[in-house]
Amino acid sequence: MTIKYTKDHEWVRVEGDVGTVGVSDHAQHQLGDVVFVELPDVGRQLAQGKEAAVVESVKAASDVFAPVSGEVIEANAELENDPSLVNAGAETTGWFFKLRLSNPAELDGLMDEAAYKAFVEGQA
């Protein structure tokens, strides 16, 4: 299992050829209370760096970008019923969608946890 992060504060946890995607704990802190999440449809093809979902909080609405390319194979329906799951567990129960990776080599361009922490601290 590998977890990688983007500079846009998404994470992807890879198991085999399936990636689970969400926003980082840092991002949910910046957003504040999440009140709405729009998820991609199952079967949708996503391209790395392109819009995949929308998250709306009491502060703002933000796009969530695909950290890697692939086909959406599952969306977290529980988020649509309870968007606060993003705040409760951004990197666990608050995942957004799962996709089947079409180009695993894209993971090489993302940050590991240590690099992401350094990136976030550099923004402070």
Side-chain angles (χ1 to χ4, degrees), residues 15-81:
E15 297 171 81
D17 65 346
V18 175
T20 303
V21 176
V23 297
S24 71
D25 193 53
H26 172 78
Q28 71 84 16
H29 277 292
Q30 297 296 310
L31 286 165
D33 293 337
V34 174
V35 295
F36 177 76
V37 176
E38 181 181 311
L39 300 172
D41 293 329
V42 171
R44 182 175 161 194
Q45 294 289 332
L46 299 176
Q48 184 181 39
K50 301 297 181 187
E51 181 187 330
V54 175
V55 60
E56 189 174 319
S57 72
V58 294
K59 292 181 179 176
S62 301
D63 290 330
V64 176
F65 302 102
V68 290
S69 301
E71 178 184 353
V72 177
I73 59 171
E74 184 178 350
N76 188 352
E78 289 185 41
L79 276 189
E80 292 178 327
N81 298 325

Short mmCIF file of all heavy atoms in Angstrom, two decimals, residues 15-81:
data_model
loop_
_atom_site.label_atom_id
_atom_site.label_comp_id
_atom_site.label_asym_id
_atom_site.label_seq_id
_atom_site.Cartn_x
_atom_site.Cartn_y
_atom_site.Cartn_z
N GLU A 15 -3.66 0.40 -3.71
CA GLU A 15 -3.59 -1.03 -3.37
C GLU A 15 -3.81 -1.79 -4.67
O GLU A 15 -4.91 -1.70 -5.24
CB GLU A 15 -4.65 -1.37 -2.33
CG GLU A 15 -4.43 -0.64 -1.01
CD GLU A 15 -5.59 -0.79 -0.04
OE1 GLU A 15 -5.65 -1.83 0.63
OE2 GLU A 15 -6.42 0.13 0.02
N GLY A 16 -2.77 -2.45 -5.16
CA GLY A 16 -2.86 -3.10 -6.48
C GLY A 16 -2.98 -2.03 -7.55
O GLY A 16 -2.17 -1.11 -7.60
N ASP A 17 -4.02 -2.14 -8.38
CA ASP A 17 -4.21 -1.13 -9.42
C ASP A 17 -5.39 -0.20 -9.10
O ASP A 17 -5.91 0.48 -9.98
CB ASP A 17 -4.40 -1.78 -10.79
CG ASP A 17 -5.67 -2.62 -10.88
OD1 ASP A 17 -6.28 -2.91 -9.82
OD2 ASP A 17 -6.06 -2.97 -12.00
N VAL A 18 -5.80 -0.18 -7.83
CA VAL A 18 -6.91 0.66 -7.39
C VAL A 18 -6.39 1.75 -6.46
O VAL A 18 -5.65 1.49 -5.52
CB VAL A 18 -7.99 -0.17 -6.68
CG1 VAL A 18 -9.08 0.73 -6.11
CG2 VAL A 18 -8.59 -1.19 -7.64
N GLY A 19 -6.79 2.99 -6.74
CA GLY A 19 -6.43 4.13 -5.91
C GLY A 19 -7.67 4.68 -5.22
O GLY A 19 -8.69 4.89 -5.87
N THR A 20 -7.59 4.89 -3.92
CA THR A 20 -8.65 5.55 -3.17
C THR A 20 -8.22 6.99 -2.98
O THR A 20 -7.09 7.26 -2.58
CB THR A 20 -8.85 4.87 -1.80
OG1 THR A 20 -9.12 3.48 -2.02
CG2 THR A 20 -9.98 5.50 -1.03
N VAL A 21 -9.14 7.94 -3.26
CA VAL A 21 -8.79 9.35 -3.32
C VAL A 21 -9.61 10.16 -2.32
O VAL A 21 -10.80 9.91 -2.13
CB VAL A 21 -9.03 9.89 -4.75
CG1 VAL A 21 -8.77 11.39 -4.81
CG2 VAL A 21 -8.16 9.15 -5.75
N GLY A 22 -8.97 11.16 -1.72
CA GLY A 22 -9.66 12.09 -0.84
C GLY A 22 -8.84 13.35 -0.71
O GLY A 22 -7.84 13.54 -1.39
N VAL A 23 -9.31 14.25 0.17
CA VAL A 23 -8.53 15.46 0.45
C VAL A 23 -7.76 15.24 1.74
O VAL A 23 -8.18 14.47 2.60
CB VAL A 23 -9.42 16.73 0.54
CG1 VAL A 23 -10.11 16.99 -0.79
CG2 VAL A 23 -10.43 16.62 1.66
N SER A 24 -6.65 15.94 1.88
CA SER A 24 -5.80 15.73 3.05
C SER A 24 -6.42 16.32 4.32
O SER A 24 -7.32 17.16 4.26
CB SER A 24 -4.43 16.35 2.82
OG SER A 24 -4.54 17.76 2.84
N ASP A 25 -5.90 15.88 5.44
CA ASP A 25 -6.35 16.42 6.72
C ASP A 25 -6.07 17.92 6.77
O ASP A 25 -6.89 18.69 7.28
CB ASP A 25 -5.65 15.68 7.85
CG ASP A 25 -6.31 15.97 9.19
OD1 ASP A 25 -7.53 15.79 9.31
OD2 ASP A 25 -5.59 16.40 10.12
N HIS A 26 -4.95 18.33 6.22
CA HIS A 26 -4.62 19.76 6.16
C HIS A 26 -5.69 20.52 5.38
O HIS A 26 -6.14 21.59 5.81
CB HIS A 26 -3.25 19.95 5.50
CG HIS A 26 -2.91 21.37 5.22
ND1 HIS A 26 -2.47 22.24 6.19
CD2 HIS A 26 -2.98 22.10 4.07
CE1 HIS A 26 -2.27 23.43 5.65
NE2 HIS A 26 -2.57 23.37 4.37
N ALA A 27 -6.12 19.96 4.26
CA ALA A 27 -7.14 20.63 3.43
C ALA A 27 -8.46 20.77 4.16
O ALA A 27 -9.09 21.83 4.11
CB ALA A 27 -7.34 19.85 2.13
N GLN A 28 -8.87 19.71 4.85
CA GLN A 28 -10.16 19.81 5.56
C GLN A 28 -10.09 20.84 6.69
O GLN A 28 -11.08 21.51 6.97
CB GLN A 28 -10.68 18.45 6.02
CG GLN A 28 -9.94 17.78 7.15
CD GLN A 28 -10.40 18.25 8.54
OE1 GLN A 28 -11.46 18.84 8.70
NE2 GLN A 28 -9.58 17.98 9.53
N HIS A 29 -8.92 21.00 7.30
CA HIS A 29 -8.77 22.04 8.33
C HIS A 29 -8.91 23.42 7.69
O HIS A 29 -9.53 24.32 8.27
CB HIS A 29 -7.41 21.94 9.03
CG HIS A 29 -7.39 20.94 10.14
ND1 HIS A 29 -8.10 21.10 11.31
CD2 HIS A 29 -6.74 19.76 10.26
CE1 HIS A 29 -7.90 20.05 12.09
NE2 HIS A 29 -7.08 19.22 11.48
N GLN A 30 -8.33 23.58 6.50
CA GLN A 30 -8.41 24.86 5.81
C GLN A 30 -9.85 25.16 5.36
O GLN A 30 -10.28 26.31 5.37
CB GLN A 30 -7.48 24.86 4.58
CG GLN A 30 -6.01 24.72 4.92
CD GLN A 30 -5.49 25.89 5.73
OE1 GLN A 30 -5.70 27.03 5.36
NE2 GLN A 30 -4.83 25.62 6.83
N LEU A 31 -10.59 24.12 4.96
CA LEU A 31 -11.95 24.30 4.48
C LEU A 31 -12.91 24.67 5.61
O LEU A 31 -13.84 25.44 5.41
CB LEU A 31 -12.46 23.01 3.80
CG LEU A 31 -11.89 22.71 2.43
CD1 LEU A 31 -12.18 21.27 2.04
CD2 LEU A 31 -12.49 23.66 1.40
N GLY A 32 -12.73 24.09 6.76
CA GLY A 32 -13.71 24.25 7.83
C GLY A 32 -14.79 23.20 7.67
O GLY A 32 -14.58 22.17 7.03
N ASP A 33 -15.97 23.46 8.22
CA ASP A 33 -17.04 22.47 8.20
C ASP A 33 -17.52 22.21 6.78
O ASP A 33 -18.04 23.11 6.12
CB ASP A 33 -18.22 22.94 9.05
CG ASP A 33 -17.87 22.98 10.54
OD1 ASP A 33 -16.93 22.28 10.95
OD2 ASP A 33 -18.53 23.73 11.27
N VAL A 34 -17.39 20.97 6.34
CA VAL A 34 -17.83 20.58 5.00
C VAL A 34 -19.34 20.34 5.02
O VAL A 34 -19.85 19.62 5.88
CB VAL A 34 -17.07 19.31 4.52
CG1 VAL A 34 -17.62 18.82 3.20
CG2 VAL A 34 -15.58 19.62 4.41
N VAL A 35 -20.05 20.97 4.06
CA VAL A 35 -21.51 20.87 4.05
C VAL A 35 -22.05 20.17 2.80
O VAL A 35 -23.23 19.83 2.74
CB VAL A 35 -22.15 22.27 4.18
CG1 VAL A 35 -21.82 22.88 5.54
CG2 VAL A 35 -21.70 23.20 3.06
N PHE A 36 -21.20 19.97 1.77
CA PHE A 36 -21.68 19.34 0.54
C PHE A 36 -20.50 18.75 -0.21
O PHE A 36 -19.42 19.34 -0.24
CB PHE A 36 -22.38 20.38 -0.35
CG PHE A 36 -22.84 19.85 -1.67
CD1 PHE A 36 -23.96 19.07 -1.77
CD2 PHE A 36 -22.12 20.14 -2.82
CE1 PHE A 36 -24.38 18.57 -3.00
CE2 PHE A 36 -22.53 19.66 -4.06
CZ PHE A 36 -23.67 18.87 -4.14
N VAL A 37 -20.71 17.59 -0.81
CA VAL A 37 -19.68 16.97 -1.64
C VAL A 37 -20.35 16.45 -2.91
O VAL A 37 -21.39 15.79 -2.84
CB VAL A 37 -19.00 15.79 -0.90
CG1 VAL A 37 -18.01 15.09 -1.81
CG2 VAL A 37 -18.31 16.28 0.36
N GLU A 38 -19.78 16.80 -4.05
CA GLU A 38 -20.25 16.28 -5.34
C GLU A 38 -19.21 15.30 -5.84
O GLU A 38 -18.05 15.67 -6.03
CB GLU A 38 -20.43 17.41 -6.34
CG GLU A 38 -20.95 16.95 -7.69
CD GLU A 38 -21.09 18.11 -8.66
OE1 GLU A 38 -21.68 19.13 -8.28
OE2 GLU A 38 -20.59 17.98 -9.79
N LEU A 39 -19.62 14.06 -6.05
CA LEU A 39 -18.68 12.99 -6.41
C LEU A 39 -18.81 12.63 -7.88
O LEU A 39 -19.87 12.83 -8.48
CB LEU A 39 -18.97 11.76 -5.55
CG LEU A 39 -18.83 11.98 -4.03
CD1 LEU A 39 -19.33 10.76 -3.28
CD2 LEU A 39 -17.39 12.29 -3.67
N PRO A 40 -17.75 12.09 -8.48
CA PRO A 40 -17.84 11.67 -9.88
C PRO A 40 -18.68 10.41 -10.02
O PRO A 40 -18.78 9.60 -9.09
CB PRO A 40 -16.38 11.41 -10.25
CG PRO A 40 -15.73 11.02 -8.96
CD PRO A 40 -16.44 11.84 -7.89
N ASP A 41 -19.29 10.24 -11.20
CA ASP A 41 -20.08 9.05 -11.48
C ASP A 41 -19.17 7.84 -11.71
O ASP A 41 -18.08 7.98 -12.29
CB ASP A 41 -20.93 9.25 -12.73
CG ASP A 41 -22.01 10.30 -12.51
OD1 ASP A 41 -22.49 10.44 -11.36
OD2 ASP A 41 -22.36 10.99 -13.48
N VAL A 42 -19.63 6.68 -11.28
CA VAL A 42 -18.91 5.44 -11.56
C VAL A 42 -18.84 5.26 -13.08
O VAL A 42 -19.82 5.49 -13.78
CB VAL A 42 -19.61 4.25 -10.88
CG1 VAL A 42 -18.99 2.93 -11.34
CG2 VAL A 42 -19.54 4.38 -9.37
N GLY A 43 -17.67 4.89 -13.55
CA GLY A 43 -17.46 4.70 -14.98
C GLY A 43 -16.82 5.90 -15.66
O GLY A 43 -16.35 5.79 -16.78
N ARG A 44 -16.80 7.04 -14.98
CA ARG A 44 -16.19 8.25 -15.55
C ARG A 44 -14.68 8.09 -15.65
O ARG A 44 -14.05 7.59 -14.72
CB ARG A 44 -16.55 9.45 -14.68
CG ARG A 44 -16.01 10.77 -15.23
CD ARG A 44 -16.50 11.93 -14.38
NE ARG A 44 -15.66 13.09 -14.61
CZ ARG A 44 -15.65 14.17 -13.84
NH1 ARG A 44 -16.47 14.24 -12.81
NH2 ARG A 44 -14.86 15.17 -14.12
N GLN A 45 -14.13 8.52 -16.76
CA GLN A 45 -12.68 8.51 -16.95
C GLN A 45 -12.11 9.83 -16.45
O GLN A 45 -12.60 10.89 -16.86
CB GLN A 45 -12.32 8.33 -18.43
CG GLN A 45 -12.72 7.00 -19.01
CD GLN A 45 -11.88 5.85 -18.50
OE1 GLN A 45 -10.72 6.03 -18.13
NE2 GLN A 45 -12.47 4.66 -18.45
N LEU A 46 -11.14 9.77 -15.58
CA LEU A 46 -10.53 10.98 -15.03
C LEU A 46 -9.09 11.09 -15.53
O LEU A 46 -8.39 10.09 -15.64
CB LEU A 46 -10.52 10.93 -13.50
CG LEU A 46 -11.89 10.85 -12.83
CD1 LEU A 46 -11.72 10.70 -11.32
CD2 LEU A 46 -12.72 12.08 -13.14
N ALA A 47 -8.69 12.32 -15.80
CA ALA A 47 -7.31 12.58 -16.22
C ALA A 47 -6.58 13.26 -15.07
O ALA A 47 -7.16 14.11 -14.36
CB ALA A 47 -7.30 13.47 -17.45
N GLN A 48 -5.34 12.90 -14.89
CA GLN A 48 -4.53 13.47 -13.81
C GLN A 48 -4.58 15.00 -13.86
O GLN A 48 -4.38 15.61 -14.91
CB GLN A 48 -3.09 13.00 -13.91
CG GLN A 48 -2.24 13.48 -12.74
CD GLN A 48 -0.79 13.03 -12.85
OE1 GLN A 48 -0.22 13.00 -13.93
NE2 GLN A 48 -0.21 12.66 -11.73
N GLY A 49 -4.85 15.60 -12.69
CA GLY A 49 -4.84 17.05 -12.57
C GLY A 49 -6.13 17.73 -13.01
O GLY A 49 -6.26 18.94 -12.88
N LYS A 50 -7.08 16.97 -13.51
CA LYS A 50 -8.36 17.55 -13.95
C LYS A 50 -9.41 17.41 -12.85
O LYS A 50 -9.32 16.55 -11.99
CB LYS A 50 -8.85 16.86 -15.23
CG LYS A 50 -7.89 16.96 -16.39
CD LYS A 50 -7.68 18.40 -16.83
CE LYS A 50 -6.74 18.46 -18.02
NZ LYS A 50 -6.38 19.83 -18.38
N GLU A 51 -10.43 18.28 -12.92
CA GLU A 51 -11.49 18.28 -11.91
C GLU A 51 -12.18 16.92 -11.82
O GLU A 51 -12.55 16.34 -12.83
CB GLU A 51 -12.52 19.36 -12.25
CG GLU A 51 -13.64 19.44 -11.24
CD GLU A 51 -14.73 20.40 -11.69
OE1 GLU A 51 -14.43 21.36 -12.40
OE2 GLU A 51 -15.88 20.15 -11.31
N ALA A 52 -12.34 16.45 -10.59
CA ALA A 52 -12.97 15.16 -10.37
C ALA A 52 -14.18 15.25 -9.46
O ALA A 52 -15.13 14.49 -9.60
CB ALA A 52 -11.96 14.19 -9.76
N ALA A 53 -14.17 16.20 -8.53
CA ALA A 53 -15.24 16.31 -7.55
C ALA A 53 -15.27 17.76 -7.04
O ALA A 53 -14.38 18.56 -7.37
CB ALA A 53 -15.02 15.35 -6.38
N VAL A 54 -16.29 18.06 -6.24
CA VAL A 54 -16.40 19.39 -5.64
C VAL A 54 -16.67 19.20 -4.16
O VAL A 54 -17.46 18.34 -3.77
CB VAL A 54 -17.55 20.20 -6.30
CG1 VAL A 54 -17.74 21.53 -5.57
CG2 VAL A 54 -17.28 20.42 -7.78
N VAL A 55 -16.02 20.01 -3.35
CA VAL A 55 -16.29 20.00 -1.91
C VAL A 55 -16.65 21.42 -1.51
O VAL A 55 -16.00 22.38 -1.92
CB VAL A 55 -15.07 19.44 -1.11
CG1 VAL A 55 -13.82 20.27 -1.33
CG2 VAL A 55 -15.39 19.36 0.36
N GLU A 56 -17.73 21.53 -0.75
CA GLU A 56 -18.21 22.85 -0.34
C GLU A 56 -18.25 22.90 1.18
O GLU A 56 -18.76 21.99 1.82
CB GLU A 56 -19.61 23.07 -0.92
CG GLU A 56 -20.12 24.48 -0.76
CD GLU A 56 -21.45 24.68 -1.48
OE1 GLU A 56 -21.61 24.17 -2.61
OE2 GLU A 56 -22.32 25.32 -0.88
N SER A 57 -17.71 23.98 1.72
CA SER A 57 -17.69 24.15 3.17
C SER A 57 -18.38 25.46 3.52
O SER A 57 -18.83 26.19 2.63
CB SER A 57 -16.25 24.17 3.69
OG SER A 57 -15.62 25.38 3.31
N VAL A 58 -18.41 25.76 4.80
CA VAL A 58 -19.00 27.02 5.23
C VAL A 58 -18.17 28.20 4.73
O VAL A 58 -18.67 29.32 4.65
CB VAL A 58 -19.16 27.08 6.76
CG1 VAL A 58 -20.18 26.05 7.23
CG2 VAL A 58 -17.84 26.87 7.47
N LYS A 59 -16.92 27.94 4.36
CA LYS A 59 -16.02 29.01 3.90
C LYS A 59 -16.02 29.19 2.39
O LYS A 59 -15.94 30.31 1.90
CB LYS A 59 -14.58 28.74 4.36
CG LYS A 59 -14.37 28.82 5.85
CD LYS A 59 -12.91 28.57 6.16
CE LYS A 59 -12.63 28.67 7.66
NZ LYS A 59 -11.22 28.33 7.96
N ALA A 60 -16.05 28.08 1.63
CA ALA A 60 -15.88 28.17 0.18
C ALA A 60 -16.20 26.84 -0.49
O ALA A 60 -16.32 25.81 0.18
CB ALA A 60 -14.44 28.56 -0.15
N ALA A 61 -16.32 26.88 -1.80
CA ALA A 61 -16.42 25.66 -2.60
C ALA A 61 -15.09 25.48 -3.32
O ALA A 61 -14.50 26.45 -3.79
CB ALA A 61 -17.55 25.77 -3.61
N SER A 62 -14.63 24.24 -3.39
CA SER A 62 -13.34 23.96 -4.00
C SER A 62 -13.44 22.74 -4.90
O SER A 62 -14.17 21.80 -4.61
CB SER A 62 -12.28 23.68 -2.94
OG SER A 62 -12.14 24.77 -2.07
N ASP A 63 -12.69 22.77 -5.99
CA ASP A 63 -12.59 21.60 -6.85
C ASP A 63 -11.62 20.61 -6.23
O ASP A 63 -10.65 20.99 -5.58
CB ASP A 63 -12.07 21.99 -8.23
CG ASP A 63 -13.10 22.80 -9.01
OD1 ASP A 63 -14.31 22.60 -8.81
OD2 ASP A 63 -12.68 23.64 -9.83
N VAL A 64 -11.89 19.35 -6.45
CA VAL A 64 -10.98 18.27 -6.07
C VAL A 64 -10.47 17.67 -7.37
O VAL A 64 -11.27 17.30 -8.24
CB VAL A 64 -11.69 17.21 -5.21
CG1 VAL A 64 -10.75 16.04 -4.91
CG2 VAL A 64 -12.22 17.84 -3.92
N PHE A 65 -9.16 17.62 -7.53
CA PHE A 65 -8.57 17.17 -8.78
C PHE A 65 -8.11 15.71 -8.67
O PHE A 65 -7.73 15.26 -7.59
CB PHE A 65 -7.37 18.06 -9.14
CG PHE A 65 -7.75 19.51 -9.26
CD1 PHE A 65 -7.47 20.40 -8.23
CD2 PHE A 65 -8.42 19.96 -10.38
CE1 PHE A 65 -7.85 21.74 -8.33
CE2 PHE A 65 -8.79 21.30 -10.49
CZ PHE A 65 -8.51 22.19 -9.47
N ALA A 66 -8.15 15.03 -9.79
CA ALA A 66 -7.70 13.64 -9.81
C ALA A 66 -6.18 13.60 -9.66
O ALA A 66 -5.47 14.18 -10.47
CB ALA A 66 -8.11 12.98 -11.11
N PRO A 67 -5.66 12.93 -8.63
CA PRO A 67 -4.21 12.85 -8.46
C PRO A 67 -3.54 11.97 -9.51
O PRO A 67 -2.36 12.13 -9.78
CB PRO A 67 -4.04 12.28 -7.05
CG PRO A 67 -5.33 11.62 -6.75
CD PRO A 67 -6.39 12.30 -7.54
N VAL A 68 -4.31 11.05 -10.07
CA VAL A 68 -3.81 10.17 -11.13
C VAL A 68 -4.97 9.90 -12.10
O VAL A 68 -6.13 10.13 -11.78
CB VAL A 68 -3.29 8.81 -10.57
CG1 VAL A 68 -2.00 9.00 -9.79
CG2 VAL A 68 -4.34 8.14 -9.71
N SER A 69 -4.64 9.41 -13.27
CA SER A 69 -5.66 9.09 -14.27
C SER A 69 -6.25 7.71 -14.02
O SER A 69 -5.56 6.82 -13.51
CB SER A 69 -5.04 9.12 -15.67
OG SER A 69 -4.48 10.38 -15.93
N GLY A 70 -7.52 7.55 -14.42
CA GLY A 70 -8.14 6.25 -14.29
C GLY A 70 -9.65 6.32 -14.40
O GLY A 70 -10.22 7.39 -14.59
N GLU A 71 -10.28 5.15 -14.27
CA GLU A 71 -11.73 5.04 -14.34
C GLU A 71 -12.30 4.92 -12.93
O GLU A 71 -11.83 4.10 -12.13
CB GLU A 71 -12.13 3.80 -15.14
CG GLU A 71 -13.63 3.60 -15.20
CD GLU A 71 -14.02 2.31 -15.92
OE1 GLU A 71 -13.15 1.65 -16.49
OE2 GLU A 71 -15.22 1.98 -15.89
N VAL A 72 -13.30 5.74 -12.64
CA VAL A 72 -13.96 5.69 -11.33
C VAL A 72 -14.71 4.37 -11.20
O VAL A 72 -15.53 4.03 -12.06
CB VAL A 72 -14.94 6.88 -11.15
CG1 VAL A 72 -15.66 6.76 -9.81
CG2 VAL A 72 -14.19 8.19 -11.25
N ILE A 73 -14.40 3.62 -10.15
CA ILE A 73 -15.06 2.32 -9.96
C ILE A 73 -15.98 2.33 -8.74
O ILE A 73 -16.79 1.43 -8.57
CB ILE A 73 -14.05 1.16 -9.85
CG1 ILE A 73 -13.09 1.37 -8.68
CG2 ILE A 73 -13.29 0.98 -11.15
CD1 ILE A 73 -12.21 0.17 -8.38
N GLU A 74 -15.86 3.37 -7.90
CA GLU A 74 -16.74 3.47 -6.73
C GLU A 74 -16.69 4.90 -6.20
O GLU A 74 -15.63 5.52 -6.19
CB GLU A 74 -16.27 2.50 -5.63
CG GLU A 74 -17.18 2.46 -4.43
CD GLU A 74 -16.71 1.44 -3.36
OE1 GLU A 74 -15.80 0.65 -3.63
OE2 GLU A 74 -17.26 1.48 -2.26
N ALA A 75 -17.84 5.41 -5.79
CA ALA A 75 -17.91 6.71 -5.12
C ALA A 75 -18.40 6.48 -3.70
O ALA A 75 -19.19 5.56 -3.45
CB ALA A 75 -18.86 7.65 -5.86
N ASN A 76 -17.94 7.29 -2.78
CA ASN A 76 -18.31 7.11 -1.36
C ASN A 76 -19.68 7.74 -1.12
O ASN A 76 -19.79 8.91 -0.77
CB ASN A 76 -17.26 7.75 -0.46
CG ASN A 76 -17.48 7.45 1.00
OD1 ASN A 76 -18.50 6.87 1.38
ND2 ASN A 76 -16.52 7.84 1.83
N ALA A 77 -20.73 6.93 -1.31
CA ALA A 77 -22.11 7.43 -1.19
C ALA A 77 -22.40 7.97 0.21
O ALA A 77 -23.26 8.84 0.37
CB ALA A 77 -23.09 6.31 -1.54
N GLU A 78 -21.69 7.48 1.20
CA GLU A 78 -21.93 7.96 2.57
C GLU A 78 -21.60 9.45 2.70
O GLU A 78 -22.18 10.15 3.52
CB GLU A 78 -21.10 7.16 3.57
CG GLU A 78 -21.61 5.74 3.73
CD GLU A 78 -20.85 4.99 4.80
OE1 GLU A 78 -20.56 5.57 5.85
OE2 GLU A 78 -20.55 3.81 4.56
N LEU A 79 -20.68 9.94 1.86
CA LEU A 79 -20.33 11.37 1.91
C LEU A 79 -21.47 12.25 1.46
O LEU A 79 -21.63 13.37 1.95
CB LEU A 79 -19.12 11.66 1.01
CG LEU A 79 -17.73 11.44 1.55
CD1 LEU A 79 -16.70 12.00 0.58
CD2 LEU A 79 -17.56 12.06 2.92
N GLU A 80 -22.26 11.77 0.50
CA GLU A 80 -23.39 12.57 0.03
C GLU A 80 -24.44 12.71 1.12
O GLU A 80 -25.10 13.73 1.23
CB GLU A 80 -23.98 11.96 -1.23
CG GLU A 80 -23.01 12.07 -2.41
CD GLU A 80 -23.51 11.44 -3.68
OE1 GLU A 80 -24.24 10.42 -3.61
OE2 GLU A 80 -23.16 11.95 -4.75
N ASN A 81 -24.58 11.69 1.94
CA ASN A 81 -25.54 11.74 3.04
C ASN A 81 -24.98 12.46 4.27
O ASN A 81 -25.72 13.05 5.04
CB ASN A 81 -25.96 10.33 3.46
CG ASN A 81 -26.65 9.59 2.34
OD1 ASN A 81 -27.37 10.20 1.55
ND2 ASN A 81 -26.42 8.30 2.25
#
